[in-house]
Amino acid sequence: KPDSSDPRELLAEGYQELRNGNSGSAFACFDRAMEILESRPPSAERRELRGEVRVHLAIAHGRLGKLSLAEQELRNALR
């Protein structure tokens, strides 16, 4: 599990992992970012960042062959 407690850092790290072809590591970064965001009080910034993390979670799921989960994340991102 990634060490950072900054969702933006985790998002950037996960994106880099995706670019390097490490979908599992990318997923772990995005999942951790979502955990952190879910623990924070609602705000416009949190809502925007959650959407971005969900889209990247969907990409990671897709690359891991979990298409149903990818679709679910994309639907959640649109809410």
Side-chain angles (χ1 to χ4, degrees):
K1 202 172 211 180
D3 292 332
S4 180
S5 61
D6 180 349
R8 290 192 184 279
E9 279 182 20
L10 290 162
L11 186 61
E13 184 180 339
Y15 181 72
Q16 189 59 48
E17 292 292 339
L18 276 179
R19 290 183 58 139
N20 292 337
N22 301 322
S23 301
S25 296
F27 173 81
C29 291
F30 301 141
D31 191 51
R32 177 70 180 129
M34 187 59 70
E35 285 177 9
I36 293 166
L37 291 169
E38 292 294 332
S39 71
R40 293 186 175 175
S43 69
E45 180 185 21
R46 175 182 172 240
R47 185 172 44 254
E48 180 181 327
L49 197 51
R50 280 179 62 212
E52 191 173 344
V53 170
R54 286 197 184 280
V55 168
H56 283 85
L57 272 169
I59 293 168
H61 279 306
R63 290 192 182 170
L64 291 168
K66 299 177 181 182
L67 300 182
S68 179
L69 291 173
E71 179 183 2
Q72 182 180 349
E73 288 297 345
L74 289 173
R75 288 182 188 276
N76 288 335
L78 295 172
R79 290 186 188 167

